[in-house]
Amino acid sequence: MKLFVEGGGSSTALKSECREGFKNFITKAGIEKRPRIVACGSRSEAYDDFITAIKNNEDAVLLVDSEGNLSDDCQDGDDRTKWLPWKHLGKRVGDLWAKPKASDDIDCHMMVEVMENWFLADRAALITFFGHGFKEGKLPAAERAIEGIPKSEVYRSLRDATADCRTKAPYGKGAHSFKILASLDPGLVAKASPWAARFLDALKEKMA
């Protein structure tokens, strides 16, 4: 099975970091038999690559940022297998993506709102990664639901929290994101993010 993920830009080195980050995250989640991870670059490239795989009758899963808040009708009920990510992506200005006929909603997954929202679930990993000078108090309050924090606030808080770090530059997506992803505790992320839990549960089911 192939997992098509948004991320990695156009850099070969960054795409390698993206694949490694997701590989470590998935492995630590207890998924020993991993999918083939494809770092696609942009979200549109991830969608296009996924569509091509589906047309070629390949077993494929898509993982992209939601890039915004999700309406209740996309995530109604406790059964996450019945949630509707394609509904969100189909009406979001900038995407307007159609669900492939040969694919189901459970083959589509989202990081809500962006991958960096996941980081807020494991603050110990951020403290360890950035070291001396990291200001945890600049992050959104720990009791806030991480999927309800807008991406602009997530990015700003990470920059503010790392502005005075001595051993690393302020947070930069290319420089830090996939290294941090590799260091996260997937259990904490899944506990804090229902969409992350949905993604990991679906992978476990598919790779069993």
Side-chain angles (χ1 to χ4, degrees):
M1 190 191 80
K2 292 181 179 178
L3 170 61
F4 295 94
V5 301
E6 174 184 355
S10 58
S11 163
T12 299
L14 194 56
K15 284 184 176 178
S16 178
E17 278 193 20
C18 177
R19 290 191 298 270
E20 188 68 17
F22 278 103
K23 183 187 80 171
N24 283 319
F25 183 77
I26 290 168
T27 300
K28 287 195 293 184
I31 304 171
E32 296 182 4
K33 183 182 177 184
R34 295 184 303 274
R36 178 184 169 189
I37 300 166
V38 183
C40 300
S42 71
R43 63 191 291 103
S44 61
E45 288 172 315
Y47 174 67
D48 290 343
D49 289 347
F50 174 78
I51 292 295
T52 298
I54 294 297
K55 288 181 178 178
N56 291 334
N57 295 314
E58 296 181 81
D59 191 8
V61 168
L62 177 66
L63 177 64
V64 295
D65 297 329
S66 71
E67 290 289 344
N69 191 36
L70 274 73
S71 58
D72 290 341
D73 61 348
C74 294
Q75 48 189 347
D76 185 35
D78 294 330
D79 186 353
R80 295 168 186 158
T81 65
K82 295 181 179 179
W83 286 3
L84 304 172
W86 285 115
K87 187 171 186 176
H88 171 79
L89 297 169
K91 65 184 181 181
R92 179 184 173 269
V93 175
D95 294 327
L96 304 179
W97 295 344
K99 181 178 79 67
K101 291 182 180 179
S103 180
D104 296 319
D105 273 289
I106 199 59
D107 298 322
C108 181
H109 298 274
M110 294 186 296
M111 298 172 280
V112 181
E113 292 187 4
V114 288
M115 184 175 69
E116 284 81 357
N117 284 68
W118 289 5
F119 299 173
L120 302 178
D122 190 353
R123 296 172 185 233
L126 289 174
I127 293 168
T128 299
F129 182 84
F130 284 103
H132 189 76
F134 182 79
K135 296 179 179 178
E136 184 181 0
K138 295 291 186 179
L139 299 177
E143 61 269 18
R144 290 178 64 186
I146 65 171
E147 290 184 348
I149 302 172
K151 67 174 186 176
S152 58
E153 183 180 352
V154 173
Y155 289 141
R156 183 177 65 252
S157 69
L158 286 170
R159 288 193 299 269
D160 291 346
T162 57
D164 298 324
C165 290
R166 295 183 181 179
T167 60
K168 288 185 174 69
Y171 178 76
K173 195 172 185 71
H176 302 133
S177 62
F178 299 118
K179 295 184 179 73
I180 295 172
L181 174 65
S183 73
L184 297 178
D185 180 339
L188 293 177
V189 176
K191 184 177 180 180
S193 166
W195 280 91
R198 179 181 183 272
F199 167 62
L200 292 173
D201 287 346
L203 274 192
K204 288 176 184 177
E205 179 71 20
K206 284 178 173 292
M207 302 307 295

